[in-house]
Amino acid sequence: MTQRRPLVDALVNFQQQHPISFHVPGHKNGILSGLPDAFKSALAYDFTELAGLDDLHYPEEAIDEAQKLLAEAYGAQQSFFLVNGSTVGNLAMVYAACEKGDTLLVQRNSHKSVFHALELAGVEPVYLAPEWNVDSLSADSLRLEDVKEAVEAYPAAKALMLAHPDYYGMAAQDLGAIILYCHEKGIPVLVDEAHGAHFVAGPPFPASALALGADAVVQSAHKTLPAMTMGSFLHVQGSLVASRKIKKYLRMLQSSSPSYLIMASLDDARAYIENYSQPDMRSFLEKRQLFIDALKSISQLEVFEPDDPLKLMLRVGHHSGFQLKEQLEAMDIHAELADPYQVLLILPLLKQVHSYPFAEIRSRVKEAVRAVLQEERKTMGMAVPELPKISVPDMPLGTLDMEETEWIPYAKGLGRISAEMVVPYPPGIPLVLPGERWTLDKLEILADYLAASAQIQGEHRLEEKLICVLAAEKGR
């Protein structure tokens, strides 16, 4: 373990020289900014590639040292700072592992950025759909037997793309066995571990995909570690995914003007988790348990604990998660997401020196629950999509852009091939993908989300109740 933060130190040392700016960015070390003072103070460190500050795309100094410390902390052969979020890491992994026209096995409940990567890279996806988890009320992880069936059916697959953990903090129980099996077949395993950057702290957190042998792993440091938004890590190990290809595509896909503030926060986040001690862990777990016990004492509030101790789900009887989220926000408590059943909280990864107002939070949650119970019950009773365990798009992704499309009422979408992605967000997992047919259960789920005023991303006109599909003569 090391307390060193080479990039943070380089920025501080540079700023202390009172540099005069005749370079970008145009705010000139914050002098010209009209932002509030609290914002402007950070701009004094918002530098560019200057002497002594290194270059993200060709690192040789502070950034190089910081990334080497990152790889050492996570046990990777090579690690990279990402300033465009885990999205750019997912893109780079797919590009590095596959060529246009290759077959890629991909977990069906992956993040939308994974499906964007498939389309951009021109690969042919084979979707592996997990079953429904009746405890977490969310899609489960893949099982080893499902992966074996897919590999046997598509032996030419160039890679397997997985999500671990899921948004709700449920870990993939067969992940180690899946990685071992794929390696026996010479298939690299790429893992979107956006919500698992803190797993390196060890038990009781689940094992990281990197520790279990995955070939390339992306982590959103900004989700669970103290990094700025858009700050992520990408780790590579083994010989099945070439680091040189990862570097090549990151240079193409990431900004040529990377934020030094984001990179410095990544350097700091690495130091934070690397120095997360056992006393820190004990202190966090004690505070967490006291908080959970306090929440469980609230009448008619159910607390579900997923595999990741940093996540909690709150449920109120036959009332929807959207109702609870709205009442929590009225009490100035802002949850990560709501779905038809529950609200998801991401707890702070506290150290011994930190405090959090858990007693006040419990009081506000109690008031929010009381308000929800006075509302009409709105449990959505959302249908669970009946997806085949293994499937391919009804229309190849590479041909979709050449087809004519039309807008139709979603109520008339049964059997039609979607031309666009429709994504309830969060969690950002597509309800329907380009090239897939609209089924009755998917349309029912869409109707449920619309009735609950949930946020829906994607190319749609749902405020007009319209969806985009392939033209009538093509979609039948």
Side-chain angles (χ1 to χ4, degrees):
M1 294 191 295
T2 177
Q3 297 286 349
R4 283 184 298 153
R5 298 177 301 171
L7 184 54
V8 173
D9 293 341
L11 291 176
V12 170
N13 292 337
F14 190 87
Q15 197 275 337
Q16 288 176 345
Q17 304 307 311
H18 304 290
I20 298 173
S21 172
F22 285 100
H23 55 76
V24 299
H27 58 67
K28 303 303 178 185
N29 300 336
I31 294 173
L32 304 185
S33 174
L35 289 170
D37 289 343
F39 291 12
K40 287 177 64 174
S41 62
L43 298 185
Y45 299 89
D46 183 30
F47 297 120
T48 187
E49 293 88 346
L50 303 172
L53 296 184
D54 211 353
D55 182 340
L56 175 64
H57 295 294
Y58 297 93
E60 296 178 335
E61 299 170 318
I63 296 174
D64 181 54
E65 183 182 357
Q67 290 187 146
K68 286 177 178 176
L69 288 173
L70 176 62
E72 182 180 339
Y74 279 84
Q77 287 181 350
Q78 191 161 10
S79 296
F80 303 89
F81 285 166
L82 306 179
V83 296
N84 293 67
S86 287
T87 291
V88 78
N90 286 332
L91 290 170
M93 287 195 299
V94 171
Y95 272 108
C98 301
E99 296 181 1
K100 186 175 182 179
D102 283 346
T103 297
L104 175 68
L105 307 178
V106 59
Q107 189 168 328
R108 175 60 181 74
N109 61 321
S110 292
H111 188 263
K112 61 179 180 177
S113 62
V114 171
F115 300 104
H116 289 152
L118 305 180
E119 193 169 353
L120 286 170
V123 301
E124 297 299 331
V126 175
Y127 301 135
L128 281 63
E131 296 181 352
W132 185 254
N133 188 313
V134 296
D135 296 320
S136 67
L137 299 177
S138 63
D140 212 339
S141 55
L142 294 178
R143 298 176 300 178
L144 175 60
E145 59 193 74
D146 299 330
V147 174
K148 285 185 175 181
E149 184 178 346
V151 171
E152 291 170 3
Y154 296 91
K158 292 298 178 70
L160 170 66
M161 184 85 188
L162 298 176
H164 165 82
D166 69 11
Y167 209 132
Y168 295 86
M170 301 300 291
Q173 301 303 317
D174 288 353
L175 183 58
I178 288 172
I179 293 170
L180 181 61
Y181 169 76
C182 286
H183 285 175
E184 290 173 353
K185 300 293 185 179
I187 297 174
V189 179
L190 319 175
V191 180
D192 178 356
E193 196 169 76
H195 288 262
H198 59 294
F199 286 2
V200 71
F205 296 116
S208 167
L210 194 68
L212 294 174
D215 301 277
V217 177
V218 168
Q219 300 168 330
S220 293
H222 68 93
K223 293 190 186 303
T224 57
L225 299 183
M228 289 179 65
T229 298
M230 293 178 67
S232 295
F233 302 142
L234 195 164
H235 309 285
V236 185
Q237 63 184 354
S239 59
L240 294 179
V241 177
S243 292
R244 61 176 178 81
K245 288 188 176 181
I246 293 287
K247 290 180 186 177
K248 170 186 174 181
Y249 289 111
L250 287 179
R251 287 169 184 159
M252 291 181 179
L253 296 167
Q254 294 215 92
S255 171
S256 60
S257 299
S259 166
Y260 274 77
L261 291 174
I262 292 177
M263 289 190 287
S265 76
L266 289 172
D267 193 19
D268 179 66
R270 184 272 312 157
Y272 186 93
I273 194 63
E274 185 177 10
N275 292 282
Y276 199 81
S277 66
Q278 283 304 306
D280 288 330
M281 182 72 80
R282 286 194 295 271
S283 176
F284 163 71
L285 293 175
E286 288 171 2
K287 292 173 181 174
R288 172 185 177 275
Q289 192 58 55
L290 288 172
F291 181 51
I292 291 173
D293 291 343
L295 291 177
K296 287 182 176 179
S297 70
I298 298 174
S299 177
Q300 300 193 58
L301 177 67
E302 178 186 353
V303 181
F304 178 79
E305 301 177 49
D307 299 323
D308 180 3
L310 216 58
K311 304 285 183 74
L312 287 179
M313 276 97 97
L314 305 184
R315 304 164 183 165
V316 180
H318 295 287
H319 294 79
S320 77
F322 302 113
Q323 290 176 284
L324 178 56
K325 180 174 180 284
E326 182 178 358
Q327 292 299 336
L328 287 172
E329 288 172 349
M331 301 300 299
D332 289 321
I333 294 176
H334 298 272
E336 174 64 14
L337 68 81
D339 68 22
Y341 308 104
Q342 58 207 344
V343 162
L344 173 67
L345 306 183
I346 300 181
L347 302 180
L349 185 62
L350 303 173
K351 291 189 175 185
Q352 292 183 91
V353 298
H354 298 135
S355 62
Y356 220 68
F358 287 123
E360 174 63 21
I361 293 168
R362 187 263 181 196
S363 177
R364 295 187 190 188
V365 171
K366 182 178 180 179
E367 289 301 314
V369 170
R370 182 178 299 162
V372 168
L373 292 172
Q374 294 175 358
E375 297 179 356
E376 179 184 354
R377 295 183 177 188
K378 292 184 179 179
T379 296
M380 304 307 296
M382 187 175 75
V384 177
E386 294 183 5
L387 301 171
K389 283 198 287 187
I390 301 172
S391 66
V392 296
D394 296 284
M395 177 74 70
L397 297 185
T399 65
L400 287 177
D401 286 343
M402 297 180 287
E403 301 291 345
E404 294 182 7
T405 62
E406 62 179 339
W407 293 93
I408 64 170
Y410 79 85
K412 296 182 179 180
L414 183 62
R416 300 296 297 275
I417 294 179
S418 179
E420 301 291 349
M421 191 183 305
V422 175
V423 189
Y425 194 89
I429 296 168
L431 176 61
V432 69
L433 292 164
E436 286 187 335
R437 291 188 187 278
W438 280 100
T439 60
L440 181 59
D441 54 347
K442 290 179 182 178
L443 290 169
E444 288 177 345
I445 292 171
L446 177 61
D448 287 341
Y449 273 108
L450 291 175
S453 300
Q455 182 181 357
I456 308 289
Q457 292 189 347
E459 198 67 31
H460 59 72
R461 287 160 53 186
L462 287 170
E463 68 282 356
E464 304 171 58
K465 302 187 183 301
L466 299 178
I467 55 175
C468 188
V469 298
L470 298 191
E473 65 272 17
K474 302 290 185 182
R476 292 173 179 167

